[in-house]
Amino acid sequence: MATLNTKFKLNTGSEIPAVGFGTWQDKDAQEDAVLEALKAGYRHIDTARIYGTEPAVGKAIKESGVPRRDLFITTKLWNNSFHPDDVEPAIDASLEDLGLDYLDLYLMHWPSPFARGGELMPKDSNGKMKTGDTNYVETYKAMEKVLKAGKTKAIGISNFSRAELERLLKETTVVPAVHQLELHPWLQQKDFVEFNKSKGIHITQYSPFGNQNEVYDSGKNMGKLIEDPTLTEIGKKYGKNGAQVALAWGIAQGHSVIPKSKTPARIRANLEGDFKLEPADLQKINSVDKQLRFNDPSGSFGWDFYTDLDGKKK
């Protein structure tokens, strides 16, 4: 299969495969999809507590027979487990569901706390989210402890603003190994990307196909990013489609990308998005930035996200 199998070095010294397999949504299809991905050659799998897909990922890993040392497994701490006393039980529960002794990467999914307890989305009688009072700095310090205990080889963050990240860096000890955020040719966030890199933080791009995901209402009354004429035109030159070009653009920036699919042919095609684009083509893609952000749950999470970043709707 034509894939470069690119890897990037994290600030821990470990390597992260450039193309990962995302497991958000389609919970019941994930065991087969992850198994298909592992058979196709993926070695980086991305899940999260809130996805409900950790057990399926665990089963697929076991069934695949791929040695644990060859895999890079990421999961994420959910907002209801922000209290420092809840972080270790949360990672233990994830490890148990995944059938693993350790994670390669444990991310704080959002900087926003929900009320403590077993409910993932705790709401009051009016259907409004019950927020928590633990600050993400305290949560991260508890994550530093599970890192020290060997339960994960790296820790990181997801969906932070610049101000939130600056505060985290100032008040904690371990620089995040990874920042996972929405990033694609229509939301390139060059300044923020540079800021993360200047601190030694690797970027993983989620939703690398932008508004391909039906869950994003704001992306519906427009064309699809993966059909952007600039991407499809460039793709013809390499025998690739717009989706593969979007992935190659991300990898060319030094980022890992985590496309998701449950279709075997598409699962394999996404892995082939790891190819080299010529500088002139990268320049063309750099010019299609529309500062379009599709994932912003500020209204429902009780927290104002991305206040100082591109694509924030005023």
Side-chain angles (χ1 to χ4, degrees), residues 34 38 40 61 83 89 131 145 168 254 262 276-277 308 310:
V34 173
L38 291 167
I61 289 170
H83 190 281
T131 55
K145 287 182 181 160
L168 187 83
K262 51 186 180 180
K276 199 167 170 48
L277 287 163
D308 50 12
D310 290 349

Side-chain angles (χ1 to χ4, degrees), residues 148-302:
K148 211 170 177 182
K151 295 190 177 195
T152 181
K153 293 195 164 179
I155 55 174
I157 55 172
S158 183
N159 297 303
F160 272 55
S161 69
R162 177 163 175 158
E164 288 157 357
L165 175 52
E166 282 177 339
R167 181 181 171 196
L168 187 83
L169 291 168
K170 203 159 51 189
E171 297 183 23
T172 60
T173 312
V174 178
V175 175
V178 173
H179 191 175
Q180 187 176 125
L181 39 88
E182 181 187 344
L183 203 77
H184 42 75
W186 283 358
L187 181 67
Q188 299 187 15
Q189 305 184 80
K190 291 187 180 74
D191 290 347
F192 192 46
V193 163
E194 278 316 308
F195 177 72
N196 279 271
K197 285 186 177 167
S198 73
K199 305 295 178 188
I201 303 168
H202 172 80
I203 300 252
T204 295
Q205 299 181 192
Y206 76 71
S207 294
F209 302 147
N211 63 341
Q212 186 60 17
N213 196 321
E214 286 302 313
V215 81
Y216 296 150
D217 290 334
S218 63
K220 283 189 176 147
N221 299 317
M222 61 178 78
K224 296 286 191 204
L225 160 69
I226 62 171
E227 290 159 9
D228 183 296
T230 302
L231 302 187
T232 53
E233 203 48 47
I234 288 169
K236 285 176 190 166
K237 184 165 135 186
Y238 301 90
K240 304 281 184 180
N241 60 31
Q244 291 167 318
V245 172
L247 296 177
W249 170 83
I251 295 166
Q253 318 303 312
H255 307 157
S256 48
V257 290
I258 45 170
K260 63 186 194 61
S261 177
K262 51 186 180 180
T263 316
R266 222 170 279 147
I267 288 171
R268 290 192 295 275
N270 287 342
L271 199 54
E272 292 173 21
D274 187 3
F275 70 97
K276 199 167 170 48
L277 287 163
E278 289 170 15
D281 293 324
L282 288 169
Q283 280 304 114
K284 281 182 200 159
I285 299 168
N286 288 344
S287 70
V288 306
D289 190 4
K290 300 177 193 281
Q291 298 196 359
L292 270 177
R293 185 182 291 281
F294 298 112
N295 189 25
D296 185 351
S298 296
S300 57
F301 277 28

Side-chain angles (χ1 to χ4, degrees), residues 123-128:
K123 292 180 179 167
D124 63 20
S125 53
N126 300 316
K128 201 171 167 223

